[in-house]
């Protein structure tokens, strides 16, 4: 399955409600997986950190579900200790501060209450809860988020993860989340990948995020991606969890044949459930990861779309 972040909210040259989807504009179809972010929900803001209305996001989720798609949620929450953004790593004690007994524990609980409210709001026309993918504390081995590896021990991270899931499910009775343990792209072995794994009872799927940059040649990226996928497949067998590439992209897609000459030959023989590409920002013209009408890689993406093994929304109906 192919996915795209914020696909219905904005794209190149348009913003909701005056548009549809860059994927649709190119293929006549929508993604199979729709990525969204809950950042700033904890602040009781009306909009997330990418200026998407949470009220609209609830509507998008209902539409996606009713039309056979899948919703995935990440959570770039602010730093509860410093008051800074999710990228504020100025204090290495943030995770410890929100664990039970920590000085910011009650603040974190109030944030989880907001997340629970949102997840409870995801209901279909008959009032049934919409199942969604929930990806907390993603890229956990990195050093760019306050929950990253340099800023807490493995045990502290596991405790935070377990508390978060226990609170949502057992205390707030949130039962529509499929939980994803989502790593960064800097692991080398299965043991390394699972170093902060909170346990089988707290995880339903596993994955990682990976991006190519112009500094990385196609050949080097292929080798790197294959290594990551090999480890992911090994971890999937070991844990019995469904694997996915939970974020991916090549900003601006400068290679017009990247989709079928680089990406597809690399991933096609690995057992992954989906790959989700990052957003096409409406307010940052050079920040996009899917083609749009007239983009040099548009024809190549259409070729990828035509492969029977690639699944978009029509394939799920």
């Amino acid at each position: 399955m192919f996915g795209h972040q914020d696909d219905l909210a904005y794209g190149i040259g348009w913003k909701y409600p005056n548009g549809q989807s860059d994927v649709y504009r190119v293929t006549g179809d929508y993604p199979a997986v729709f990525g969204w972010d809950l950042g700033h929900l904890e602040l009781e803001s009306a909009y997330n950190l990418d200026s998407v209305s949470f009220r609209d996001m609830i509507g998008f989720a209902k539409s996606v579900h009713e039309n056979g798609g899948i919703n995935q949620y990440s959570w770039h929450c602010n730093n509860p200790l410093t008051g800074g953004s999710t990228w504020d790593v100025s204090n290495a004690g943030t995770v410890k501060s929100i664990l039970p007994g920590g000085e910011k524990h009650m603040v974190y609980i109030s944030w989880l209450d907001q997340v629970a409210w949102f997840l409870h709001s995801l209901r279909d026309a008959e009032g049934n809860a919409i199942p969604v993918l929930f990806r907390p504390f993603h890229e956990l081995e990195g050093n760019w988020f306050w929950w990253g590896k340099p800023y807490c021990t493995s045990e502290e991270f596991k405790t935070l993860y377990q508390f978060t899931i226990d609170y949502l499910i057992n205390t707030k009775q949130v039962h529509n989340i499929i939980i994803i343990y989502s790593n960064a792209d800097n692991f080398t072995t299965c043991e390394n990948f699972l170093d902060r794994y909170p346990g089988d009872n707290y995880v339903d799927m596993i994955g990682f995020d990976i991006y190519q940059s112009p500094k990385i040649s196609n050949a080097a990226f292929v080798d790197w991606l294959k290594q990551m996928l090999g480890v992911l497949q090994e971890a999937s067998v070991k844990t019995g969890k469904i694997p996915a590439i939970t974020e991916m992209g090549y900003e601006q897609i400068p290679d017009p044949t990247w989709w079928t000459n680089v990406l597809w030959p690399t991933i096609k023989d690995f057992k992954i459930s989906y790959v989700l590409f990052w957003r096409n920002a409406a307010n940052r013209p050079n920040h996009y990861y899917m083609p749009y009408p007239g983009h040099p890689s548009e024809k190549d993406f259409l070729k990828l779309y035509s492969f029977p093994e690639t699944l978009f929304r029509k394939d799920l109906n």
Side-chain angles (χ1 to χ4, degrees), residues 29-71:
D29 198 356
Y30 291 94
V33 183
F34 293 74
W36 311 102
D37 196 87
L38 301 179
H40 291 183
L41 179 65
E42 71 278 2
L43 307 179
E44 301 185 41
S45 170
Y47 296 86
N48 80 350
L49 78 170
D50 294 317
S51 301
V52 181
S53 158
F54 285 111
R55 178 177 293 180
D56 288 339
M57 202 183 296
I58 291 171
F60 290 145
K62 293 178 179 179
S63 175
V64 167
H65 177 71
E66 289 169 0
N67 287 283
I70 297 168
N71 293 286

Side-chain angles (χ1 to χ4, degrees), residues 100-162:
E103 62 180 292
K104 296 295 182 179
H105 181 61
M106 295 310 297
V107 171
Y108 183 61
I109 282 181
S110 72
W111 289 11
L112 289 179
D113 289 343
Q114 292 298 311
V115 172
W117 166 83
F118 179 87
L119 294 170
H120 277 304
S121 299
L122 304 179
R123 302 274 169 175
D124 64 18
E126 286 73 43
N128 300 308
I130 295 172
V132 298
L133 308 180
F134 181 52
R135 192 168 65 102
F137 311 119
H138 67 296
E139 299 176 7
L140 55 100
E141 289 280 344
N143 62 2
W144 42 90
F145 297 138
W146 55 258
W147 57 81
K149 187 174 183 178
Y151 316 116
C152 58
T153 66
S154 292
E155 288 309 309
E156 287 172 341
F157 180 84
K158 291 175 185 178
T159 301
L160 174 61
Y161 204 109
Q162 292 165 354

Side-chain angles (χ1 to χ4, degrees), residues 13 18 42 66-67 78 98 153 181 198 230 267 274 300:
N18 299 313
E42 71 278 2
E66 289 169 0
N67 287 283
N78 271 19
I98 61 176
T153 66
Y181 172 82
I267 69 173
Y274 70 89
D300 193 55

Side-chain angles (χ1 to χ4, degrees), residues 179-255:
I179 305 155
I180 308 175
Y181 172 82
S182 180
N183 219 318
D185 57 11
N186 53 355
F187 53 88
T188 56
T189 65
C190 183
E191 291 72 24
N192 183 204
F193 178 83
L194 295 173
D195 177 58
R196 300 188 165 222
Y197 185 70
D200 290 345
N201 291 336
Y202 294 90
V203 175
D204 301 302
M205 298 180 64
I206 58 174
F208 64 88
D209 300 353
I210 187 169
Y211 289 85
Q212 186 174 353
S213 75
K215 297 179 181 179
I216 304 172
S217 69
N218 284 343
F221 180 72
V222 166
D223 289 343
W224 180 30
L225 180 54
K226 281 184 176 179
Q227 180 186 1
M228 299 294 103
L229 286 169
V231 173
L232 179 67
Q233 193 160 290
E234 182 183 353
S236 174
V237 171
K238 185 173 183 177
T239 61
K241 306 301 180 180
I242 299 170
I245 301 178
T246 44
E247 269 185 46
M248 192 180 195
Y250 192 1
E251 192 174 48
Q252 300 180 48
I253 322 145
D255 180 348

